Amino acid sequence: MTGCPAVQAPSVQPPVTSAGSAMLVLRRAGGGWLWEQAFPGAADQVGHVRAAVRALLDGCGAEETVVHLLSELSANAVVHSRTGRPGGEFVVRLQHARGDCVWGEVEDAGSEEWDGDLAASAREQSGLFIVMALASACGVAGRPGCHRAVWFCIPCQPVHAGEASR
C-alpha cells in the first residue's frame, strides 16, 4: 500500500465546490496542500486545467504524469458526461503530500451511459486505460447529485539537479 492520502484515508473527501467557485488552496503543515477549482464544461477548459496544474506542481517529479492524467479525465468529463451540456461544470482537485504522492481527481456531472466501472471502460489507448496504467492507485467515487469523480494517486519524488532536462 502506498502513502497516498486517497488510499490510506478513503473516507476523507475534499470539500465539494459549488458552481462558479474560485480556486481554493489549503496549505497544511509539512508542506502538503489541497487545491480545487471548478471549470466550465467546455473543451477549451482542458488547456486551463493543464496550465493551472503545471503551475501548482512546478518542481514535482510527478508533474508531467499528473498533468497528462488530469487532462485526460477533464476531457472525458466534458465529452462523456452531463458536464458538457450548457451550464455544466467539472471540478479538479489535487492533494500534494510533499515527497510522497500527488492525489488527483476530476468530478463531473455523471452520465446515464457510464456505470462507473473503470476497468471495463479502460480500452487500450483510452484516457481511462492511461490512468490505470500510470497510477499507483485509482478508482471512481460517487458524489451527491449523481456526480462521479475519477481519482488517482501518483508517487511524487523531488526532481534532482540535472534530471529536469531528461
Side-chain angles (χ1 to χ4, degrees), residues 61-124:
E63 176 185 347
E64 289 303 316
T65 302
V66 172
V67 167
H68 186 79
L69 296 184
L70 287 175
S71 178
E72 292 286 347
L73 293 177
S74 296
N76 281 356
V78 172
V79 173
H80 300 295
S81 80
R82 289 185 291 268
T83 289
R85 294 180 183 167
E89 73 172 11
F90 62 99
V91 179
V92 179
R93 295 183 184 95
L94 281 177
Q95 185 172 349
H96 185 261
R98 189 168 305 282
D100 190 10
C101 74
V102 177
W103 168 84
E105 80 169 25
V106 174
E107 178 182 332
D108 63 33
S111 168
E112 295 85 13
E113 293 83 37
W114 191 50
D115 63 1
D117 187 339
L118 191 61
S121 302
R123 297 173 313 282
E124 190 168 338

Side-chain angles (χ1 to χ4, degrees), residues 137-152:
C138 61
V140 178
R143 296 292 161 81
C146 297
H147 289 209
R148 283 202 181 96
V150 179
W151 62 267
F152 62 85

Side-chain angles (χ1 to χ4, degrees), residues 41-66:
D44 66 342
Q45 295 300 303
V46 176
H48 295 289
V49 170
R50 285 192 295 266
V53 172
R54 280 190 203 289
L56 286 165
L57 293 178
D58 187 35
C60 175
E63 176 185 347
E64 289 303 316
T65 302
V66 172

Side-chain angles (χ1 to χ4, degrees), residues 1-17:
M1 181 177 275
T2 119
C4 181
V7 174
Q8 285 188 343
S11 63
V12 176
Q13 293 189 6
V16 177
T17 305

